[in-house]
Amino acid sequence: MRRAGRNISAVIYFVCLMTLMLFADAAYAAGEVSAKLEGGGEVPAEETFSVVLTYEGENLREIISEITYDADLLEFRSCSGGEAFEKEAGILQLQMTADEEDESTTVFTAKLRFRGITPGEGFVTAAASRITAEDGRELTAQTRSVKIIVTEEAAAQEENEKTADNNAAESVTEPGENANPMQEFLLGLSVTEFEVFCLCLTVILLLLILLAAERGKRS
């Protein structure tokens, strides 16, 4: 009987522990807001691009997020969907607040526009510093980042490609100042002239071979 009682106590303890763990997981999930940051990739210098930050949860009232970026690589231009101001070089504070008449806001979205300054690689990162629900609860969200690769200006890229193509064409088709005179002569011949030249050269070589053979017989 005592042994059976111990077994029952162990089962009850295990059930209680599992219940507490489930409640803890549920409470954590309820306090977690989904965060997503999209955009970035390769962008030409001097062109404007956007990254889109989205937070999604239940009964959201206000979100304050800190946006960091490489100020030597990017320049902040504007924001829609929230209010953003520069705290210091490379750090923005973004505030998104629900409308007073909206009783159940579930999604906050902000579009941030940047301009590439100089070629290089960096990141734009969004970290929520405060998320408040309608009932006053403080919520959390994971930090998100996107990689930015700033390339050369589009016009400069096209100019470099044209210059490379022209240099390649000149090195193949145009004789240089230091080119071999025979090479210049051959390049200047048309197809028919080149065939005639080869035929004459072959005949001359045959005559020289015959002449050499005749002299060998005489000697």
Side-chain angles (χ1 to χ4, degrees), residues 145-162:
S145 297
V146 290
K147 188 175 184 178
I148 309 295
I149 303 173
V150 180
T151 60
E152 292 183 349
E153 296 181 44
Q157 289 181 356
E158 294 179 0
E159 185 64 27
N160 291 337
E161 291 175 359
K162 288 181 180 179

Side-chain angles (χ1 to χ4, degrees), residues 2-188:
R2 291 181 179 177
R3 187 173 182 180
R6 291 177 181 176
N7 291 337
I8 293 174
S9 299
V11 171
I12 294 174
Y13 176 79
F14 178 76
V15 170
C16 291
L17 181 62
M18 293 299 297
T19 303
L20 289 173
M21 292 177 63
L22 290 174
F23 273 116
D25 290 342
Y28 177 78
E32 181 78 19
V33 174
S34 172
K36 182 169 57 176
L37 187 63
E38 299 175 296
E42 290 191 4
V43 294
E46 300 300 330
E47 290 194 10
T48 302
F49 67 95
S50 300
V51 295
V52 179
L53 175 62
T54 303
Y55 290 104
E56 184 173 359
E58 293 294 332
N59 299 322
L60 301 177
R61 173 49 54 187
E62 182 185 52
I63 297 178
I64 297 178
S65 186
E66 189 171 86
I67 312 298
T68 57
Y69 62 94
D70 187 346
D72 295 329
L73 186 69
L74 305 174
E75 177 188 28
F76 172 66
R77 302 305 299 269
S78 63
C79 173
S80 60
E83 297 182 1
F85 66 90
E86 287 187 294
K87 295 174 61 177
E88 56 184 277
I91 301 178
L92 302 173
Q93 181 168 300
L94 171 65
Q95 181 177 3
M96 296 179 282
T97 305
D99 296 331
E100 294 183 359
E101 61 273 12
D102 193 348
E103 297 180 355
S104 179
T105 303
T106 59
V107 178
F108 280 109
T109 300
K111 179 182 287 187
L112 301 158
R113 297 178 182 86
F114 296 89
R115 180 179 68 88
I117 299 175
T118 184
E121 297 183 7
F123 292 88
V124 174
T125 301
S129 57
R130 188 175 72 187
I131 302 178
T132 307
E134 186 68 33
D135 58 6
R137 288 180 300 124
E138 294 291 332
L139 308 177
T140 60
Q142 293 186 0
T143 300
R144 302 298 184 189
S145 297
V146 290
K147 188 175 184 178
I148 309 295
I149 303 173
V150 180
T151 60
E152 292 183 349
E153 296 181 44
Q157 289 181 356
E158 294 179 0
E159 185 64 27
N160 291 337
E161 291 175 359
K162 288 181 180 179
T163 301
D165 292 341
N166 291 337
N167 291 338
E170 289 177 1
S171 64
V172 173
T173 60
E174 295 295 332
E177 294 181 358
N178 298 324
N180 190 314
M182 179 60 70
Q183 182 181 5
E184 291 186 8
F185 172 73
L186 294 176
L187 289 173

